[in-house]
């Protein structure tokens, strides 16, 4: 397989990179590559013990900090401490995510859990760190989307999916919201003349720990489904390449979206991926942004 590889990552020496969910899966691969190329990497993780174990496996300059994206109090505490310790942040990789195929669940703030963890937490985190990002030279924010966003639709009359809840659809909606956020962030940064670039990526179908966790509620049957699903996925090292390219390739433009090039964007070498029409609709972007500001209490400068 040819195409973009981690050998093309430029020297990251002197750069501060924050990776949410950096203790496993795509986040761990991303953090490992950034650290091995010289970046000071902050692993922003819910489980600090797992984060410390991951940090010991990474060769490079790494620190671990607690962050629960499903809790706005945790997001605010994390951002306040990080902003004080790192006045300039060069890279924020909004990688962490969850997929739960069981009954509807809510966050500490009462939000539908997929939307809270995958989008609203990252919206708040990015806004709270935007000043630190603007203080860096050529800073970037990378939002992790999914191919599921292409078949999703945001229902602004039921953003928390309280009616006729379906877990797979809730996950898709959360990833569409994440994608809309990344594109709308780019629009707003450009309009403000801010020195920060917002890019996006998706991993196709990739072998991570999200698949088995998603089926935990189905017991032995769920375990069999998860194992079968793993056979159809590409290695996590390959799946992380789109977000690594979005994070590090020189000259990346705001709003660029990277993903696999093969078999309906499920696997293969990295290329520019296709966004859904709803994801790029400015009216949808404005409406979601207003809703996110109201729900999180975070207003961007």
């Amino acid at each position: 397989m040819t195409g973009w590889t981690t050998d093309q990552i430029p020297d990251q020496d002197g750069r501060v990179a924050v990776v949410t969910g950096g203790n496993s899966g795509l986040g761990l691969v991303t953090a490992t590559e950034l650290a091995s190329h010289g970046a000071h990497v902050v692993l922003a993780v819910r489980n600090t013990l797992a984060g410390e174990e991951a940090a010991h496996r990474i060769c490079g300059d790494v620190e671990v900090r607690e962050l629960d994206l499903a809790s706005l109090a945790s997001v605010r505490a994390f951002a306040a401490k990080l902003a004080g310790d790192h006045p300039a942040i060069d890279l924020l990789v909004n990688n962490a995510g969850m997929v739960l195929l069981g009954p509807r669940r809510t966050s500490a703030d009462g939000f539908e859990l997929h939307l809270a963890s995958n989008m609203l937490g990252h919206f708040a985190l990015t806004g709270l760190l935007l000043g630190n990002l603007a203080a860096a030279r050529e800073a970037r924010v990378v939002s992790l989307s999914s191919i599921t966003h292409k078949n999703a639709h945001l229902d602004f009359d039921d953003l928390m999916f309280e009616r006729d809840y379906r877990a797979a659809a809730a996950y898709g909606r959360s990833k569409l919201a994440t994608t809309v956020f990344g594109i709308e962030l780019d629009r707003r940064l450009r309009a403000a003349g801010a020195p920060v670039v917002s890019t996006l990526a998706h991993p196709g179908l990739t072998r991570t720990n999200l698949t088995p966790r998603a089926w935990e509620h189905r017991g032995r049957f769920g375990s069999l489904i998860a194992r079968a699903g793993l056979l159809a996925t590409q290695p996590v090292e390959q799946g992380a390449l789109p977000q690594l390219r979005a994070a590090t390739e020189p000259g990346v433009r705001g709003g660029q979206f990277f993903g696999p090039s093969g078999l309906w964007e499920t696997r293969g070498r990295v290329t520019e991926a296709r966004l859904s029409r709803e994801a790029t609709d400015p009216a949808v972007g404005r409406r979601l942004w207003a809703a996110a500001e109201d729900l999180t209490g975070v207003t961007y400068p």
Side-chain angles (χ1 to χ4, degrees):
M1 183 183 298
T2 58
W4 193 90
T5 70
T6 56
D7 291 337
Q8 294 169 256
I9 296 176
D11 180 21
Q12 300 294 299
D13 186 54
R15 292 172 64 80
V16 175
V18 180
V19 182
T20 67
N23 62 297
S24 65
L26 297 164
L28 178 57
V29 173
T30 299
T32 299
E33 289 295 340
L34 291 171
S36 70
H37 285 81
H40 172 81
V41 177
V42 179
L43 299 183
V45 299
R46 202 170 29 166
N47 184 334
T48 54
L49 179 59
E52 294 291 353
E53 292 174 352
H56 286 310
R57 300 200 302 271
I58 297 175
C59 180
D61 185 10
V62 182
E63 64 173 298
V64 177
R65 297 192 181 220
E66 184 177 2
L67 170 64
D68 181 358
L69 287 159
S71 164
L72 290 174
S74 176
V75 172
R76 287 183 180 277
F78 170 87
K81 185 68 166 61
L82 184 71
D85 293 342
H86 296 288
I89 296 172
D90 300 272
L91 176 62
L92 173 59
V93 183
N94 288 328
N95 161 85
M98 66 166 54
V99 51
L100 299 168
L101 299 184
R104 182 179 180 276
R105 295 171 60 184
T106 56
S107 71
D109 304 290
F111 306 144
E112 192 279 317
L113 196 54
H114 289 99
L115 188 68
S117 301
N118 297 348
M119 184 269 172
L120 290 174
H122 282 129
F123 176 92
L125 178 65
T126 305
L128 293 168
L129 295 179
L130 199 58
N132 301 72
L133 288 158
R137 187 173 63 88
E138 299 179 346
R140 290 187 194 177
V141 177
V142 180
S143 297
L144 187 62
S145 177
S146 164
I147 53 175
T148 61
H149 93 272
K150 297 174 187 287
N151 297 316
H153 169 68
L154 293 179
D155 182 355
F156 286 100
D157 294 325
D158 187 22
L159 205 55
M160 296 303 157
F161 220 141
E162 296 178 286
R163 300 191 301 268
D164 302 319
Y165 179 80
R166 290 170 291 118
Y171 174 74
R173 284 187 185 185
S174 74
K175 283 302 185 179
L176 172 57
T178 297
T179 311
V180 172
F181 162 58
I183 295 296
E184 182 64 15
L185 177 61
D186 170 59
R187 288 193 192 100
R188 290 171 183 254
L189 290 170
R190 288 176 188 242
V196 182
V197 169
S198 172
T199 65
L200 305 96
H202 81 81
L205 295 181
T206 294
R207 200 169 304 134
T208 72
N209 58 357
L210 289 184
T211 303
R213 285 181 182 173
W215 290 96
E216 284 178 348
H217 69 290
R218 297 297 299 275
R220 184 176 296 179
F221 177 67
S223 179
L224 290 173
I225 294 176
R227 289 177 188 174
L230 291 176
L231 296 176
T233 56
Q234 63 179 351
V236 68
E237 292 78 12
Q238 183 66 29
L241 292 182
Q243 66 194 62
L244 280 165
R245 183 175 177 183
T248 65
E249 183 172 68
V252 166
R253 304 183 309 279
Q256 276 193 281
F257 181 40
F258 296 98
S261 62
L263 197 61
W264 301 293
E265 295 187 12
T266 61
R267 63 187 64 245
R269 63 183 180 82
V270 183
T271 189
E272 282 207 55
R274 295 182 297 278
L275 291 156
S276 74
R277 181 175 298 179
E278 186 166 341
T280 60
D281 186 336
V284 173
R286 289 191 297 270
R287 193 171 182 185
L288 181 64
W289 196 276
E293 286 190 334
D294 182 59
L295 290 166
T296 64
V298 175
T299 302
Y300 280 54

